[in-house]
Amino acid sequence: MAAHASVSSKILSTHLRLVLACLCLTLVAGCSSTKSNVDPTAGWSAERLYSQARSEMSSGNWSEARKNLEALEARYPFGIYAQQSLIDQAYINWKDEEPEQAQATIDRFMQQYPNHPGTDYMLYLKGMISFTPPSAILSGFTRQDPSERDPKGLRQSYEAFNELIRRYPDSRYTPDARLRAAWLVNTIAENEVHIAEYYYKRGAYVAATNRAQTVVTDFEGAPIAEKALYLMMLSYDKLNLPKLRDDAKRVLDSNFPNSKYYEQGLDEPSSAWNPINWF
């Protein structure tokens, strides 16, 4: 009987030690979890949060910089640091290849602070977002002509740069915006000609003439207007409209004497240049 009691006591003691051990592990895990959930920036001033964010930006640590700026904006929604936070968040999102987030941040900034001194920069950044999307990096290797890409982003970029030029002619960002806007005009016009040529080669001659006419009327001075006029001449000929064909030829010969397209046709010679690298 005594032996049985001794064994029971030992079993109870072992169970007690296991329970205590499990309890200790639970407490340690709980403490660790609590520590990991503690925000290291709790209690920081707006100035300190912004300083830390700028430091992370300098190191290219976009994720940490974004966290500090978002915390700053949430805790101190009023004042110059909150305003600057939005400007920097837009830049970070652009650099971190998050164009949609960058665009949303810019729109929010311009809605909240329409007369902010940094508006010219935000317009410039808005133009840059769609001027050099992440996919443009690959064009340096693929040699894809930017005018062959979806023109929506090109048009958005042009509109932003054009608004900057119109509203802030003396801005430090305007000279570069003018260069980019001029390139975009030519590129958008080239896109229209690509589409017109696509229609022509598939026998949609009316659609081809409409697209080519848009280039001639809306993009005056664009070099690609030469090809647009040649396409119009060919399309009118296919439509059996000799008067319109001759009118297009007359305008082509007047503006581009001895046009190269008479000899080479529509197919352009291959080229290794890539205008995206001009900037």
Side-chain angles (χ1 to χ4, degrees):
M1 189 72 176
H4 178 72
S6 176
V7 171
S8 299
S9 177
K10 287 181 179 179
I11 293 174
L12 182 61
S13 177
T14 300
H15 279 289
L16 183 59
R17 284 198 297 269
L18 287 173
V19 170
L20 289 173
C22 290
L23 182 60
C24 289
L25 288 173
T26 302
L27 289 173
V28 170
C31 290
S32 299
S33 176
T34 302
K35 288 181 180 178
S36 64
N37 290 331
V38 172
D39 184 353
T41 67
W44 285 18
S45 65
E47 183 178 4
R48 186 177 178 186
L49 280 168
Y50 184 71
S51 177
Q52 182 64 31
R54 293 296 298 184
S55 177
E56 299 291 356
M57 287 175 65
S58 299
S59 302
N61 193 349
W62 310 124
S63 178
E64 288 301 314
R66 187 185 290 110
K67 287 180 184 178
N68 284 295
L69 290 173
E70 289 174 349
L72 190 160
E73 186 186 1
R75 297 177 200 172
Y76 306 97
F78 307 106
I80 59 173
Y81 285 111
Q83 297 171 22
Q84 188 62 42
S85 169
L86 278 176
I87 294 175
D88 290 339
Q89 284 182 63
Y91 174 81
I92 288 170
N93 288 329
W94 172 56
K95 295 296 288 184
D96 202 25
E97 298 186 0
E98 296 287 351
E100 292 82 9
Q101 290 187 36
Q103 180 69 58
T105 304
I106 291 172
D107 291 343
R108 185 153 57 93
F109 174 88
M110 296 183 71
Q111 184 177 17
Q112 290 180 315
Y113 312 108
N115 299 313
H116 193 278
T119 301
D120 60 338
Y121 172 73
M122 292 299 260
L123 284 170
Y124 179 76
L125 190 57
K126 186 175 183 179
M128 291 297 293
I129 288 170
S130 49
F131 184 84
T132 54
S135 60
I137 297 173
L138 298 177
S139 66
F141 300 97
T142 63
R143 303 298 181 185
Q144 181 193 24
D145 187 335
S147 66
E148 295 175 340
R149 297 203 306 267
D150 182 356
K152 181 180 179 181
L154 298 175
R155 291 181 181 278
Q156 289 175 342
S157 181
Y158 174 76
E159 289 169 4
F161 286 136
N162 203 41
E163 184 177 356
L164 168 61
I165 294 166
R166 177 176 54 82
R167 292 178 58 185
Y168 303 96
D170 299 323
S171 168
R172 57 182 291 193
Y173 304 106
T174 297
D176 186 66
R178 290 185 191 279
L179 290 174
R180 295 177 188 274
W183 177 82
L184 284 164
V185 165
N186 289 332
T187 304
I188 295 169
E190 288 172 6
N191 182 270
E192 291 293 319
V193 172
H194 279 302
I195 296 172
E197 186 176 353
Y198 173 87
Y199 286 139
Y200 174 80
K201 290 181 177 179
R202 282 154 183 78
Y205 304 120
V206 173
T209 55
N210 288 339
R211 286 284 185 167
Q213 182 68 46
T214 296
V215 174
V216 175
T217 57
D218 294 355
F219 299 93
E220 185 178 355
I224 199 64
E226 179 183 359
K227 189 173 185 178
L229 285 164
Y230 182 71
L231 266 168
M232 288 174 63
M233 185 188 74
L234 295 180
S235 297
Y236 284 135
D237 186 60
K238 292 288 187 181
L239 291 167
N240 196 26
L241 297 171
K243 184 178 184 305
L244 292 176
R245 177 201 62 200
D246 293 343
D247 286 344
K249 185 179 187 306
R250 184 165 49 254
V251 176
L252 174 62
D253 292 339
S254 175
N255 288 275
F256 304 96
N258 303 314
S259 172
K260 63 182 181 180
Y261 292 104
Y262 287 129
E263 182 177 346
Q264 75 178 40
L266 290 173
D267 294 332
E268 299 284 357
S270 60
S271 174
W273 63 270
N274 186 347
I276 201 74
N277 295 322
W278 294 355
F279 304 96

